Amino acid sequence: MLIRPSVPRDLRSSEITPESLYLSRREWLAAAGLTVGAIAGASALLAKRADAQQAVGTPFGLQPDDKPTPWMDVTSYNNFYEFGTGKDDPAVEAKGFKPRPWTVKIDGLVKKPGDFALDDFLKGSKVEDRIYRHRCVEAWSMVIPWRGIMLADVLKRAEPAPSAKFVEFTTLYDPARMPGQRSSVLRWPYTEGLRLDEAMHPLALLATGVYGRDLPNQNGAPLRLVVPWKYGFKGIKSIVHIRLTDRMPVTAWNTSAPDEYGFYCNVNPTVDHPRWSQAKERRIGEFLRRPTLMFNGYADQVASLYAGMDLRKNY
Ligand SMILES: Nc1nc2c(c(=O)[nH]1)N[C@H]1C(S)=C(S)[C@@H](COP(=O)(O)O)O[C@H]1N2
Ligand SMILES: [Mo]
């Protein structure tokens, strides 16, 4: 069996401080002894330290005790039903997926619709590294260093018509490449939506990477949505189509279980899921559960979007 380091080998040496690569004399000796266990142990240790080094980006909405979730967890504990319903399925089943060439279509109520090759789609937008909290509706959470562009930037370039009120996003539909689409666990293709003012919010990202490198397939390569104040399922992966519309879009999860998943899906510790509480969450890698924060800790930035709305009704 081949033992591979669990983080990319292509770390530039300038990004790694000598201290972060420091191994104890005993660990070096063990590694030099070339025993399989020792090498695995040493590379796991390197992986941990390289993770901490690589989590570059501006922290957004982080609490003092929020630490980036290790690369290993971010890329091996996933929801991506197109590649299986188990948390460890996507990392395995999406391995051979080729996210290039890739075309993104923008149309609907815009002055400048078009089909763009991915590189052209990204051209002209500022690429940023931002560390966000990530809260899944299933009451687990992570802290993820994303790389991406502002969704608002892309929408502005397309010039929404005054009648545009919502944005609909669609994942690639290709059952030959996405084996999960051959079963009917969800309505395919996966779709999601935002109100236009939510989509224009500066926190809403179209992510192209994580931990400073291109998105692994299991995280939604080559382009996925990140809306940090909403439950994770808003973060639709492998997007091929963005459509501006005057009607509230139909979403995959709302279609499959309307009583459980609404259109808004804002993180809200006071509105429980019909089958479980949302008051607390399990941070991946931690033992004790943490209290969940209103709008996932982004209330100061986004609460005004929902002024006057009954969030129990608009769940
Ligand atoms: N196309 C598609 N997008 C998806 C999903 C999915 O099954 N299919 N799962 C969602 C859910 S429930 C979550 S929590 C996040 C998980 O993103 P991550 O695996 O990068 O953490 O992706 C979301 N986007
Ligand atoms: Mo989720």
Side-chain angles (χ1 to χ4, degrees), residues 79 134-138 140 231-233:
N79 271 336
H134 172 95
R135 170 60 156 79
C136 177
V137 72
E138 297 164 304
W140 51 266
Y231 291 119
F233 64 92

Side-chain angles (χ1 to χ4, degrees), residues 135-140 231 268-281 289 292:
R135 170 60 156 79
C136 177
V137 72
E138 297 164 304
W140 51 266
Y231 291 119
N268 188 339
T270 70
V271 177
D272 288 337
H273 184 279
R275 292 185 282 130
W276 59 81
S277 165
Q278 295 291 24
K280 289 188 171 184
E281 65 197 57
R289 295 197 305 157
T292 285

Side-chain angles (χ1 to χ4, degrees), residues 73-84 87 90 134-138 140 142 144 146 170-172 178 181 186 188-192 210 215-216 218-220 224-226 231-239 252-253:
D73 293 321
V74 173
T75 60
S76 66
Y77 189 88
N78 303 103
N79 271 336
F80 199 172
Y81 278 24
E82 284 83 342
F83 294 102
K87 297 283 178 280
H134 172 95
R135 170 60 156 79
C136 177
V137 72
E138 297 164 304
W140 51 266
M142 299 193 192
I144 304 185
W146 298 110
T170 308
T171 293
L172 174 70
M178 295 182 147
Q181 292 176 337
L186 277 180
W188 310 116
Y190 194 106
T191 57
E192 257 307 337
V210 68
L215 279 176
Q218 60 268 33
N219 294 94
R224 60 89 57 84
L225 183 64
V226 176
Y231 291 119
F233 64 92
K234 272 281 157 187
I236 178 173
K237 296 176 169 181
S238 304
I239 296 167
W253 283 102

Side-chain angles (χ1 to χ4, degrees), residues 60 130 132 150 201-205 226-229 298 301-302:
F60 279 78
R130 297 184 176 192
Y132 279 171
M150 273 165 52
H201 194 282
L203 284 172
L205 285 189
V226 176
V227 190
W229 68 94
Y298 298 93
Q301 290 80 12
V302 304

